[in-house]
Amino acid sequence: MSDTDRHPFLAGLSKHRGAQPTCLIIFGASGDLASRKLLPALYNLAVDSLLPSDFYLIGFGRKPIPDADFQTSSATDISKFSRREYRADIWKRVSDQTFYQAGGYDEPAAYESLKQKIAVAEKSAGRPLQLVFYVSTPPTVFESILENLGKSGLAARGQGTAIESKVIIEKPFGRDLDSAVQLNKVAASNFLEPQIYRIDHYLGKETVQDLLVQRFANPIFEPLWNNKHVDHVQLTVSEELGVGSRGGYYDHSGATRDMLQNHTMQLLALTAMDQPASLSAEHIRNEKVKLLKSVQPLRLGPNGDAVRAQYTAGLSGGENVIGYHQEKDIPNHSSTETFCALRLTIDNARWAGVPFYMRSGKRLARRVSEIAVQFKQPVTGLFAGDSRYDIAPNRLVIQIQPDEGVTLVMNSKVPGLEPRTQPVRLSFRYATTFGSNTPEAYERLILDAIVGDRTLFIRGDETEASWRLFTPLLKSWEQLGKSGVETYAAGSWGPAGADDLLSAQGHSWRNAGR
Ligand code: BG6
C-alpha cells in the first residue's frame, strides 16, 4: 500500500498534481444542484489551481441549450452561488473548454452524440481524457444513465488503467432496501466497484472529516468513548428553511429518506465506529459498515423508537411562514414527514445500553448540525445534594455547522466568597483559529473523485446496511398513512413526541444554544 493510499487525509490537496487530464460530464446540468453547488465548486477548484491542467466540462440535460448559453448561465450561477467572488478571467479557462449535450437520459443516440463531444475535447487536449460522469438528475433516471453508459462503452473505457471512467452517483441512492440493492446491481453490471463514487456531501464537510482527527488523534477521548462513561448521544441536523421550490421531490422523499438515512447515519457511523486499522478508504468504510450493522432494528408503533411530524404555519426567522400542506406541489392529503426523530440502540461491547438519539427536520428553530456526547454524572459526589452547586453533566459538542467548532462543558467554581459552582464552556471555533473561508463539501468531493480517492464516498454495502434499518419503518409508515403523523409549528424545535422519546429515558434534547 502506498503512503497516499494509507494516508489519503494527509496527502490532501497536493494529490491533484498527479490528476489525470479529465472530462467531467454532469447529467442534470441545468438542475438545482449543478447551479448551486457543482459549478461553484468547480470554479473554486479553478481559483485554487486544483483542476487538472487539461480539464473539460460537458453539461448533459434534456433541454436543448447551445454551448455558448450554457457557458453564460454557468458564469451567472457561479456569480450567484460561489463562496468567492466571480472572476471571469479564472473561469474563462474552464468555460472555453465547456460544452453542452442535449438528449434524453434513456436515448442511446444521445450517448453516441456525447461520445462525439468527448472526442472533440480529446482532440483539443491531444490525449485521452479520464471520464468522470456526475449523475445529478432526479433518481428516476439513475438506472437509465448507468445502463446507457454501459451499453455505449463509455463506462468500460480505460477500465483498469489510470484513465478509467468513473461515475459519481448523487443521493437518494434508492428509496428502500430493495431499490438500493437493485441500483447497486445496475451500477455493478456496468462499472467495477472502484469506479463507483456514491456521494453524501456531509462527508465532504471539513468538520465531518475532522471527526476522525478529533476522535483518533486525541487519545484523551478514547478511554471515555464507551458505555462506561457516555450517558447518551444526540445527533441533530436541523434546518430553518422549508421545502421551498423542491416540493415535488421532497414529498416523495421526506425527512427520513432525505436526511436521516444518509447524512445523519454517516455522522452516527463516524461518531460511534471503532478505530480503523489505517486511514485507507477500505479500512474506514469497513468500520462504518460494522457499526451500521450493529444498530438494532427500530421498535415500531406507538411508544416505539421513531417519531414523525409535519410543520404547520408559524414564525420562522421573524417571518410568518406557511405550513407544509400549503407549500407548492404538496398534496393536501400528504403524510410525508418533514421531521423525524429516532432512538437507536447499538448492540456492541462499546455502546450497549447507550441511547443514540437523532433528529432532522425542516422549518425548525435554527439551522444547526451537531453531535452532542453527554457523559455520565458521578455516582457519588462531593458536590451532590447542595443547591449551591450547579453541576452539569460533562458534554462534548461537535458543531458541524454553522459556527463550526468543538465545545466541552465543564463545571467551575464561581469566583467569590460564596461556595458556588456553574457549568462553563471550553470552546474552539474553526473561524477564529483557521479563518472562515474553507472549501465547500463539493469542492473536496469532486476533487477526490478526479484523483480517485474513495474515502469520503459510500460503499455499496454501507448504503444497504443503512436502508436495512430504515425500510421496515418507512413501510410501516406507508401503511399507516397520516395516522400517527404529529405536527409542529414552523420555527419550533419539533413535535411533542420527539421530547417524549427522550424523556421516557430521563433525557431531554439539547436545543442548540442551551
Ligand atoms: C440535501 C437535502 O442532501 O441536504 C436537502 O436534500 C438539505 O433537503 C441539504 O437541505 C442540507 O445540506 P446542508 O449542507 O445545507 O446541511
Side-chain angles (χ1 to χ4, degrees), residues 37 170-171 200-202 205 237-239 241-242 246 249-250 253 258-259 262-263 362 367 369 401 441-442:
K37 298 288 178 190
E170 256 303 331
K171 64 173 271 274
D200 181 317
H201 79 278
Y202 265 59
K205 291 184 190 280
V237 180
S238 62
E239 296 187 274
L241 293 177
R246 294 168 76 225
Y249 152 77
Y250 194 86
S253 172
D258 189 47
M259 300 295 283
N262 34 65
H263 306 325
K362 302 259 183 220
R367 172 174 182 252
S369 298
Q401 65 184 21
Y442 281 98

PDB file of all heavy atoms in Angstrom, residues 37 170-171 200-202 205 237-239 241-242 246 249-250 253 258-259 262-263 362 367 369 401 441-442, ligand 1:
ATOM      1  N   LYS A  37     -24.317  24.229  -6.481  1.00  0.00           N
ATOM      2  CA  LYS A  37     -23.182  23.593  -5.811  1.00  0.00           C
ATOM      3  C   LYS A  37     -22.067  23.148  -6.751  1.00  0.00           C
ATOM      4  O   LYS A  37     -20.896  23.400  -6.484  1.00  0.00           O
ATOM      5  CB  LYS A  37     -23.665  22.371  -5.004  1.00  0.00           C
ATOM      6  CG  LYS A  37     -24.636  22.702  -3.897  1.00  0.00           C
ATOM      7  CD  LYS A  37     -23.939  23.408  -2.753  1.00  0.00           C
ATOM      8  CE  LYS A  37     -24.882  23.793  -1.638  1.00  0.00           C
ATOM      9  NZ  LYS A  37     -24.256  24.671  -0.651  1.00  0.00           N
ATOM     10  N   GLU A 170     -25.373  10.708  -7.206  1.00  0.00           N
ATOM     11  CA  GLU A 170     -25.937  11.561  -6.160  1.00  0.00           C
ATOM     12  C   GLU A 170     -26.922  10.764  -5.307  1.00  0.00           C
ATOM     13  O   GLU A 170     -27.357   9.680  -5.689  1.00  0.00           O
ATOM     14  CB  GLU A 170     -26.678  12.748  -6.802  1.00  0.00           C
ATOM     15  CG  GLU A 170     -25.927  14.064  -6.733  1.00  0.00           C
ATOM     16  CD  GLU A 170     -25.559  14.507  -5.318  1.00  0.00           C
ATOM     17  OE1 GLU A 170     -26.282  14.174  -4.358  1.00  0.00           O
ATOM     18  OE2 GLU A 170     -24.526  15.195  -5.179  1.00  0.00           O
ATOM     19  N   LYS A 171     -27.301  11.314  -4.198  1.00  0.00           N
ATOM     20  CA  LYS A 171     -28.389  10.757  -3.429  1.00  0.00           C
ATOM     21  C   LYS A 171     -29.713  11.200  -4.040  1.00  0.00           C
ATOM     22  O   LYS A 171     -29.701  12.182  -4.782  1.00  0.00           O
ATOM     23  CB  LYS A 171     -28.269  11.168  -1.971  1.00  0.00           C
ATOM     24  CG  LYS A 171     -28.398  12.689  -1.744  1.00  0.00           C
ATOM     25  CD  LYS A 171     -28.438  13.015  -0.302  1.00  0.00           C
ATOM     26  CE  LYS A 171     -29.840  12.997   0.237  1.00  0.00           C
ATOM     27  NZ  LYS A 171     -30.557  14.278   0.072  1.00  0.00           N
ATOM     28  N   ASP A 200     -22.220  11.462  -0.541  1.00  0.00           N
ATOM     29  CA  ASP A 200     -23.001  12.019   0.559  1.00  0.00           C
ATOM     30  C   ASP A 200     -22.246  13.280   0.930  1.00  0.00           C
ATOM     31  O   ASP A 200     -21.159  13.206   1.503  1.00  0.00           O
ATOM     32  CB  ASP A 200     -23.043  11.050   1.749  1.00  0.00           C
ATOM     33  CG  ASP A 200     -23.887  11.614   2.889  1.00  0.00           C
ATOM     34  OD1 ASP A 200     -23.760  12.817   3.183  1.00  0.00           O
ATOM     35  OD2 ASP A 200     -24.672  10.860   3.478  1.00  0.00           O
ATOM     36  N   HIS A 201     -22.800  14.436   0.589  1.00  0.00           N
ATOM     37  CA  HIS A 201     -21.974  15.639   0.690  1.00  0.00           C
ATOM     38  C   HIS A 201     -21.576  15.965   2.129  1.00  0.00           C
ATOM     39  O   HIS A 201     -20.625  16.695   2.358  1.00  0.00           O
ATOM     40  CB  HIS A 201     -22.623  16.837  -0.024  1.00  0.00           C
ATOM     41  CG  HIS A 201     -23.713  17.511   0.753  1.00  0.00           C
ATOM     42  ND1 HIS A 201     -24.992  17.051   0.778  1.00  0.00           N
ATOM     43  CD2 HIS A 201     -23.705  18.615   1.526  1.00  0.00           C
ATOM     44  CE1 HIS A 201     -25.727  17.846   1.537  1.00  0.00           C
ATOM     45  NE2 HIS A 201     -24.963  18.815   2.008  1.00  0.00           N
ATOM     46  N   TYR A 202     -22.276  15.371   3.121  1.00  0.00           N
ATOM     47  CA  TYR A 202     -21.862  15.627   4.509  1.00  0.00           C
ATOM     48  C   TYR A 202     -20.434  15.144   4.763  1.00  0.00           C
ATOM     49  O   TYR A 202     -19.715  15.696   5.566  1.00  0.00           O
ATOM     50  CB  TYR A 202     -22.857  15.008   5.500  1.00  0.00           C
ATOM     51  CG  TYR A 202     -23.880  16.036   5.927  1.00  0.00           C
ATOM     52  CD1 TYR A 202     -24.682  16.658   4.954  1.00  0.00           C
ATOM     53  CD2 TYR A 202     -24.029  16.431   7.244  1.00  0.00           C
ATOM     54  CE1 TYR A 202     -25.588  17.637   5.309  1.00  0.00           C
ATOM     55  CE2 TYR A 202     -24.933  17.417   7.602  1.00  0.00           C
ATOM     56  CZ  TYR A 202     -25.712  18.018   6.627  1.00  0.00           C
ATOM     57  OH  TYR A 202     -26.592  19.002   6.982  1.00  0.00           O
ATOM     58  N   LYS A 205     -17.759  17.761   4.264  1.00  0.00           N
ATOM     59  CA  LYS A 205     -17.653  18.930   5.146  1.00  0.00           C
ATOM     60  C   LYS A 205     -16.399  18.801   5.993  1.00  0.00           C
ATOM     61  O   LYS A 205     -16.112  17.730   6.529  1.00  0.00           O
ATOM     62  CB  LYS A 205     -18.900  19.027   6.043  1.00  0.00           C
ATOM     63  CG  LYS A 205     -20.168  19.382   5.266  1.00  0.00           C
ATOM     64  CD  LYS A 205     -21.349  19.560   6.196  1.00  0.00           C
ATOM     65  CE  LYS A 205     -22.648  19.677   5.424  1.00  0.00           C
ATOM     66  NZ  LYS A 205     -22.927  20.986   4.860  1.00  0.00           N
ATOM     67  N   VAL A 237     -29.623  17.395  13.037  1.00  0.00           N
ATOM     68  CA  VAL A 237     -29.372  18.076  11.766  1.00  0.00           C
ATOM     69  C   VAL A 237     -30.660  18.841  11.466  1.00  0.00           C
ATOM     70  O   VAL A 237     -31.598  18.304  10.872  1.00  0.00           O
ATOM     71  CB  VAL A 237     -29.025  17.101  10.633  1.00  0.00           C
ATOM     72  CG1 VAL A 237     -28.764  17.856   9.329  1.00  0.00           C
ATOM     73  CG2 VAL A 237     -27.790  16.267  10.984  1.00  0.00           C
ATOM     74  N   SER A 238     -30.740  20.072  11.951  1.00  0.00           N
ATOM     75  CA  SER A 238     -31.984  20.829  11.807  1.00  0.00           C
ATOM     76  C   SER A 238     -31.811  21.926  10.773  1.00  0.00           C
ATOM     77  O   SER A 238     -30.713  22.453  10.599  1.00  0.00           O
ATOM     78  CB  SER A 238     -32.390  21.431  13.154  1.00  0.00           C
ATOM     79  OG  SER A 238     -31.400  22.328  13.603  1.00  0.00           O
ATOM     80  N   GLU A 239     -32.897  22.240  10.111  1.00  0.00           N
ATOM     81  CA  GLU A 239     -32.860  23.302   9.097  1.00  0.00           C
ATOM     82  C   GLU A 239     -33.949  24.317   9.392  1.00  0.00           C
ATOM     83  O   GLU A 239     -35.028  23.967   9.883  1.00  0.00           O
ATOM     84  CB  GLU A 239     -33.104  22.699   7.710  1.00  0.00           C
ATOM     85  CG  GLU A 239     -32.018  21.742   7.293  1.00  0.00           C
ATOM     86  CD  GLU A 239     -32.205  21.293   5.853  1.00  0.00           C
ATOM     87  OE1 GLU A 239     -32.945  20.326   5.633  1.00  0.00           O
ATOM     88  OE2 GLU A 239     -31.626  21.923   4.966  1.00  0.00           O
ATOM     89  N   LEU A 241     -34.999  26.428   6.923  1.00  0.00           N
ATOM     90  CA  LEU A 241     -35.772  26.584   5.683  1.00  0.00           C
ATOM     91  C   LEU A 241     -36.870  25.527   5.567  1.00  0.00           C
ATOM     92  O   LEU A 241     -36.758  24.449   6.147  1.00  0.00           O
ATOM     93  CB  LEU A 241     -34.839  26.433   4.475  1.00  0.00           C
ATOM     94  CG  LEU A 241     -33.792  27.529   4.282  1.00  0.00           C
ATOM     95  CD1 LEU A 241     -32.910  27.203   3.090  1.00  0.00           C
ATOM     96  CD2 LEU A 241     -34.474  28.884   4.100  1.00  0.00           C
ATOM     97  N   GLY A 242     -37.898  25.862   4.785  1.00  0.00           N
ATOM     98  CA  GLY A 242     -38.941  24.892   4.471  1.00  0.00           C
ATOM     99  C   GLY A 242     -38.557  24.142   3.198  1.00  0.00           C
ATOM    100  O   GLY A 242     -37.393  24.185   2.786  1.00  0.00           O
ATOM    101  N   ARG A 246     -38.745  22.782  -3.826  1.00  0.00           N
ATOM    102  CA  ARG A 246     -38.447  21.366  -4.074  1.00  0.00           C
ATOM    103  C   ARG A 246     -39.572  20.435  -3.627  1.00  0.00           C
ATOM    104  O   ARG A 246     -39.347  19.245  -3.371  1.00  0.00           O
ATOM    105  CB  ARG A 246     -37.149  20.986  -3.338  1.00  0.00           C
ATOM    106  CG  ARG A 246     -35.916  21.686  -3.880  1.00  0.00           C
ATOM    107  CD  ARG A 246     -34.760  21.497  -2.935  1.00  0.00           C
ATOM    108  NE  ARG A 246     -34.171  20.168  -2.995  1.00  0.00           N
ATOM    109  CZ  ARG A 246     -33.841  19.448  -1.930  1.00  0.00           C
ATOM    110  NH1 ARG A 246     -34.082  19.895  -0.719  1.00  0.00           N
ATOM    111  NH2 ARG A 246     -33.275  18.277  -2.063  1.00  0.00           N
ATOM    112  N   TYR A 249     -40.002  16.937  -5.355  1.00  0.00           N
ATOM    113  CA  TYR A 249     -39.030  15.931  -4.922  1.00  0.00           C
ATOM    114  C   TYR A 249     -39.299  15.543  -3.466  1.00  0.00           C
ATOM    115  O   TYR A 249     -39.389  14.366  -3.119  1.00  0.00           O
ATOM    116  CB  TYR A 249     -37.599  16.483  -5.052  1.00  0.00           C
ATOM    117  CG  TYR A 249     -36.617  15.862  -4.067  1.00  0.00           C
ATOM    118  CD1 TYR A 249     -36.099  14.580  -4.294  1.00  0.00           C
ATOM    119  CD2 TYR A 249     -36.265  16.526  -2.894  1.00  0.00           C
ATOM    120  CE1 TYR A 249     -35.241  13.998  -3.371  1.00  0.00           C
ATOM    121  CE2 TYR A 249     -35.403  15.941  -1.969  1.00  0.00           C
ATOM    122  CZ  TYR A 249     -34.889  14.679  -2.214  1.00  0.00           C
ATOM    123  OH  TYR A 249     -34.060  14.094  -1.307  1.00  0.00           O
ATOM    124  N   TYR A 250     -39.458  16.558  -2.627  1.00  0.00           N
ATOM    125  CA  TYR A 250     -39.461  16.303  -1.193  1.00  0.00           C
ATOM    126  C   TYR A 250     -40.646  15.437  -0.755  1.00  0.00           C
ATOM    127  O   TYR A 250     -40.503  14.569   0.101  1.00  0.00           O
ATOM    128  CB  TYR A 250     -39.473  17.633  -0.419  1.00  0.00           C
ATOM    129  CG  TYR A 250     -39.141  17.441   1.043  1.00  0.00           C
ATOM    130  CD1 TYR A 250     -37.816  17.426   1.467  1.00  0.00           C
ATOM    131  CD2 TYR A 250     -40.139  17.217   1.989  1.00  0.00           C
ATOM    132  CE1 TYR A 250     -37.496  17.215   2.800  1.00  0.00           C
ATOM    133  CE2 TYR A 250     -39.826  17.005   3.322  1.00  0.00           C
ATOM    134  CZ  TYR A 250     -38.512  17.007   3.718  1.00  0.00           C
ATOM    135  OH  TYR A 250     -38.182  16.790   5.045  1.00  0.00           O
ATOM    136  N   SER A 253     -39.991  12.014  -0.780  1.00  0.00           N
ATOM    137  CA  SER A 253     -38.822  11.617  -0.023  1.00  0.00           C
ATOM    138  C   SER A 253     -39.121  11.695   1.478  1.00  0.00           C
ATOM    139  O   SER A 253     -39.268  10.680   2.154  1.00  0.00           O
ATOM    140  CB  SER A 253     -37.675  12.547  -0.434  1.00  0.00           C
ATOM    141  OG  SER A 253     -36.583  12.355   0.361  1.00  0.00           O
ATOM    142  N   ASP A 258     -34.484  11.828   3.060  1.00  0.00           N
ATOM    143  CA  ASP A 258     -33.693  12.971   2.579  1.00  0.00           C
ATOM    144  C   ASP A 258     -32.466  13.218   3.460  1.00  0.00           C
ATOM    145  O   ASP A 258     -31.418  13.615   2.966  1.00  0.00           O
ATOM    146  CB  ASP A 258     -34.600  14.215   2.574  1.00  0.00           C
ATOM    147  CG  ASP A 258     -33.948  15.412   1.891  1.00  0.00           C
ATOM    148  OD1 ASP A 258     -33.399  15.233   0.790  1.00  0.00           O
ATOM    149  OD2 ASP A 258     -33.985  16.520   2.449  1.00  0.00           O
ATOM    150  N   MET A 259     -32.595  12.990   4.755  1.00  0.00           N
ATOM    151  CA  MET A 259     -31.509  13.384   5.663  1.00  0.00           C
ATOM    152  C   MET A 259     -31.013  12.264   6.581  1.00  0.00           C
ATOM    153  O   MET A 259     -29.822  12.105   6.782  1.00  0.00           O
ATOM    154  CB  MET A 259     -31.975  14.550   6.564  1.00  0.00           C
ATOM    155  CG  MET A 259     -32.392  15.787   5.812  1.00  0.00           C
ATOM    156  SD  MET A 259     -31.049  16.596   4.910  1.00  0.00           S
ATOM    157  CE  MET A 259     -30.179  17.422   6.214  1.00  0.00           C
ATOM    158  N   ASN A 262     -29.071   8.919   5.197  1.00  0.00           N
ATOM    159  CA  ASN A 262     -27.739   9.152   4.639  1.00  0.00           C
ATOM    160  C   ASN A 262     -26.911  10.045   5.557  1.00  0.00           C
ATOM    161  O   ASN A 262     -26.043   9.561   6.286  1.00  0.00           O
ATOM    162  CB  ASN A 262     -27.858   9.730   3.225  1.00  0.00           C
ATOM    163  CG  ASN A 262     -29.086  10.631   3.115  1.00  0.00           C
ATOM    164  OD1 ASN A 262     -29.154  11.671   3.758  1.00  0.00           O
ATOM    165  ND2 ASN A 262     -30.070  10.215   2.343  1.00  0.00           N
ATOM    166  N   HIS A 263     -27.172  11.370   5.551  1.00  0.00           N
ATOM    167  CA  HIS A 263     -26.294  12.306   6.261  1.00  0.00           C
ATOM    168  C   HIS A 263     -26.159  11.973   7.755  1.00  0.00           C
ATOM    169  O   HIS A 263     -25.068  11.879   8.297  1.00  0.00           O
ATOM    170  CB  HIS A 263     -26.808  13.740   6.139  1.00  0.00           C
ATOM    171  CG  HIS A 263     -27.023  14.196   4.723  1.00  0.00           C
ATOM    172  ND1 HIS A 263     -26.222  13.810   3.682  1.00  0.00           N
ATOM    173  CD2 HIS A 263     -27.957  15.028   4.184  1.00  0.00           C
ATOM    174  CE1 HIS A 263     -26.641  14.381   2.558  1.00  0.00           C
ATOM    175  NE2 HIS A 263     -27.700  15.112   2.839  1.00  0.00           N
ATOM    176  N   LYS A 362     -37.174  20.083   8.672  1.00  0.00           N
ATOM    177  CA  LYS A 362     -37.247  21.399   8.027  1.00  0.00           C
ATOM    178  C   LYS A 362     -38.049  22.323   8.934  1.00  0.00           C
ATOM    179  O   LYS A 362     -38.857  21.871   9.743  1.00  0.00           O
ATOM    180  CB  LYS A 362     -37.968  21.300   6.679  1.00  0.00           C
ATOM    181  CG  LYS A 362     -37.311  20.326   5.705  1.00  0.00           C
ATOM    182  CD  LYS A 362     -36.486  21.031   4.668  1.00  0.00           C
ATOM    183  CE  LYS A 362     -35.880  20.094   3.661  1.00  0.00           C
ATOM    184  NZ  LYS A 362     -34.520  20.441   3.281  1.00  0.00           N
ATOM    185  N   ARG A 367     -30.883  26.574  12.134  1.00  0.00           N
ATOM    186  CA  ARG A 367     -30.093  25.647  11.322  1.00  0.00           C
ATOM    187  C   ARG A 367     -28.883  25.241  12.152  1.00  0.00           C
ATOM    188  O   ARG A 367     -28.043  26.078  12.496  1.00  0.00           O
ATOM    189  CB  ARG A 367     -29.646  26.338  10.036  1.00  0.00           C
ATOM    190  CG  ARG A 367     -28.668  25.500   9.225  1.00  0.00           C
ATOM    191  CD  ARG A 367     -28.364  26.168   7.895  1.00  0.00           C
ATOM    192  NE  ARG A 367     -27.470  25.336   7.111  1.00  0.00           N
ATOM    193  CZ  ARG A 367     -26.190  25.627   6.887  1.00  0.00           C
ATOM    194  NH1 ARG A 367     -25.644  26.726   7.408  1.00  0.00           N
ATOM    195  NH2 ARG A 367     -25.447  24.820   6.158  1.00  0.00           N
ATOM    196  N   SER A 369     -26.200  21.636  12.751  1.00  0.00           N
ATOM    197  CA  SER A 369     -25.877  20.206  12.705  1.00  0.00           C
ATOM    198  C   SER A 369     -24.836  19.979  13.780  1.00  0.00           C
ATOM    199  O   SER A 369     -23.782  20.628  13.762  1.00  0.00           O
ATOM    200  CB  SER A 369     -25.270  19.807  11.367  1.00  0.00           C
ATOM    201  OG  SER A 369     -26.185  20.041  10.340  1.00  0.00           O
ATOM    202  N   GLN A 401     -22.058  22.505  11.722  1.00  0.00           N
ATOM    203  CA  GLN A 401     -22.381  23.763  11.045  1.00  0.00           C
ATOM    204  C   GLN A 401     -23.566  24.413  11.715  1.00  0.00           C
ATOM    205  O   GLN A 401     -24.354  23.700  12.328  1.00  0.00           O
ATOM    206  CB  GLN A 401     -22.704  23.515   9.566  1.00  0.00           C
ATOM    207  CG  GLN A 401     -23.961  22.693   9.388  1.00  0.00           C
ATOM    208  CD  GLN A 401     -24.263  22.338   7.946  1.00  0.00           C
ATOM    209  OE1 GLN A 401     -23.409  22.349   7.093  1.00  0.00           O
ATOM    210  NE2 GLN A 401     -25.514  22.029   7.682  1.00  0.00           N
ATOM    211  N   ALA A 441     -18.065  21.378   0.738  1.00  0.00           N
ATOM    212  CA  ALA A 441     -18.027  19.916   0.629  1.00  0.00           C
ATOM    213  C   ALA A 441     -17.832  19.440  -0.806  1.00  0.00           C
ATOM    214  O   ALA A 441     -17.029  18.546  -1.088  1.00  0.00           O
ATOM    215  CB  ALA A 441     -19.314  19.343   1.200  1.00  0.00           C
ATOM    216  N   TYR A 442     -18.558  20.046  -1.750  1.00  0.00           N
ATOM    217  CA  TYR A 442     -18.500  19.551  -3.128  1.00  0.00           C
ATOM    218  C   TYR A 442     -17.137  19.789  -3.772  1.00  0.00           C
ATOM    219  O   TYR A 442     -16.744  19.055  -4.674  1.00  0.00           O
ATOM    220  CB  TYR A 442     -19.627  20.154  -3.969  1.00  0.00           C
ATOM    221  CG  TYR A 442     -20.942  19.451  -3.718  1.00  0.00           C
ATOM    222  CD1 TYR A 442     -21.875  19.969  -2.840  1.00  0.00           C
ATOM    223  CD2 TYR A 442     -21.228  18.245  -4.342  1.00  0.00           C
ATOM    224  CE1 TYR A 442     -23.068  19.305  -2.582  1.00  0.00           C
ATOM    225  CE2 TYR A 442     -22.421  17.573  -4.102  1.00  0.00           C
ATOM    226  CZ  TYR A 442     -23.329  18.100  -3.223  1.00  0.00           C
ATOM    227  OH  TYR A 442     -24.503  17.433  -2.976  1.00  0.00           O
TER     228      TYR A 442
HETATM  229  C1  BG6 B   1     -29.573  17.685   0.980  1.00  0.00           C
HETATM  230  C2  BG6 B   1     -31.058  17.570   1.153  1.00  0.00           C
HETATM  231  O1  BG6 B   1     -28.996  16.424   0.820  1.00  0.00           O
HETATM  232  O2  BG6 B   1     -29.001  18.303   2.120  1.00  0.00           O
HETATM  233  C3  BG6 B   1     -31.683  18.937   1.418  1.00  0.00           C
HETATM  234  O3  BG6 B   1     -31.642  17.000   0.001  1.00  0.00           O
HETATM  235  C4  BG6 B   1     -30.991  19.614   2.561  1.00  0.00           C
HETATM  236  O4  BG6 B   1     -33.066  18.817   1.681  1.00  0.00           O
HETATM  237  C5  BG6 B   1     -29.481  19.615   2.365  1.00  0.00           C
HETATM  238  O5  BG6 B   1     -31.476  20.947   2.649  1.00  0.00           O
HETATM  239  C6  BG6 B   1     -28.767  20.145   3.596  1.00  0.00           C
HETATM  240  O6  BG6 B   1     -27.419  20.281   3.300  1.00  0.00           O
HETATM  241  P1  BG6 B   1     -26.513  21.341   4.087  1.00  0.00           P
HETATM  242  O7  BG6 B   1     -25.153  21.103   3.557  1.00  0.00           O
HETATM  243  O8  BG6 B   1     -27.073  22.685   3.771  1.00  0.00           O
HETATM  244  O9  BG6 B   1     -26.665  20.999   5.527  1.00  0.00           O
END
